[in-house]
Amino acid sequence: YYGSYVSVGANKQINKHLDLSAEYRMAFFDDGITYRYTLGGETNTKLNKKFSGSARLLFQNRVQDEYDPSLATESVIFWRVRGQLKYEASKKIDLYGSVEPIMAIGGNSFVDNWRNIIGVKYKITKKTKVDLYYMYRPDYGKRTYNRTFHVLGFNLSYRLKP
């Protein structure tokens, strides 16, 4: 167990190819609380009847507040670029894969970490989806060590508007 996350976000479709987004996330870890503020945009395009692609750019400010008062609060700004390919297997099931380098502005390494994801989304209702995915995430941005995460994830999303 590494921590628990609570996120609140909003997306606004500008036109059929462009969405803007904002998100606030609070993460509770063993050694402190992290706050993350995100702004970005995503462009989508249909490649044919079954395949679509997207590209996303995000800017994030992460503030890490340690429980230990002798440690300083850390703030880092990241920029992220994601490419994704999606296959519509049926009316209710989408299969997808994505790659996303995450770069810290002024970090130790050009790429701080890299997210490679494969997943399946299942549409429960018109407004509700469940997403099951696997993430392979090598992390290069630490001064003294590198590490790799293998994440099995579950996400339940609900849209206020269909």
Side-chain angles (χ1 to χ4, degrees), residues 54-56 80-85 96-102 113-118 136:
S54 67
R56 181 180 77 180
R80 304 166 61 152
V81 180
R82 182 185 75 190
Q84 181 171 287
L85 185 64
Y96 68 93
S98 67
V99 294
E100 182 178 22
I102 301 170
N113 67 77
W114 192 281
R115 294 182 179 190
N116 301 294
I117 298 174
I118 56 171
Y136 172 73

Side-chain angles (χ1 to χ4, degrees), residues 4-91:
S4 298
Y5 303 84
V6 177
S7 299
V8 175
N11 293 317
K12 173 66 177 163
Q13 186 175 15
I14 303 304
N15 59 43
K16 72 178 190 173
H17 296 291
L18 179 64
D19 293 346
L20 297 180
S21 63
E23 181 187 47
Y24 169 77
R25 182 179 89 171
M26 183 183 290
F28 303 92
F29 299 120
D30 293 337
D31 55 355
I33 298 175
T34 298
Y35 309 93
R36 187 174 81 183
Y37 310 92
T38 305
L39 293 173
E42 184 169 8
T43 182
N44 301 285
T45 188
K46 195 99 166 137
L47 301 172
N48 62 33
K49 283 186 172 185
K50 294 285 190 177
F51 284 95
S52 61
S54 67
R56 181 180 77 180
L57 173 64
L58 297 177
F59 290 95
Q60 293 179 322
N61 183 20
R62 185 190 72 201
V63 179
Q64 183 138 357
D65 190 8
E66 304 284 346
Y67 291 137
D68 183 345
S70 68
L71 298 173
T73 297
E74 177 188 50
S75 179
V76 181
I77 297 174
F78 294 93
W79 61 291
R80 304 166 61 152
V81 180
R82 182 185 75 190
Q84 181 171 287
L85 185 64
K86 183 173 72 169
Y87 173 72
E88 185 181 314
S90 72
K91 292 281 187 195

Side-chain angles (χ1 to χ4, degrees), residues 1 5 10 17 44 48 67 77 87 95 119 122 146 148 151 157-158:
Y1 173 78
Y5 303 84
H17 296 291
N44 301 285
N48 62 33
Y67 291 137
I77 297 174
Y87 173 72
L95 306 174
Y122 179 75
N146 292 328
T148 300
V151 178
S157 60
Y158 178 79

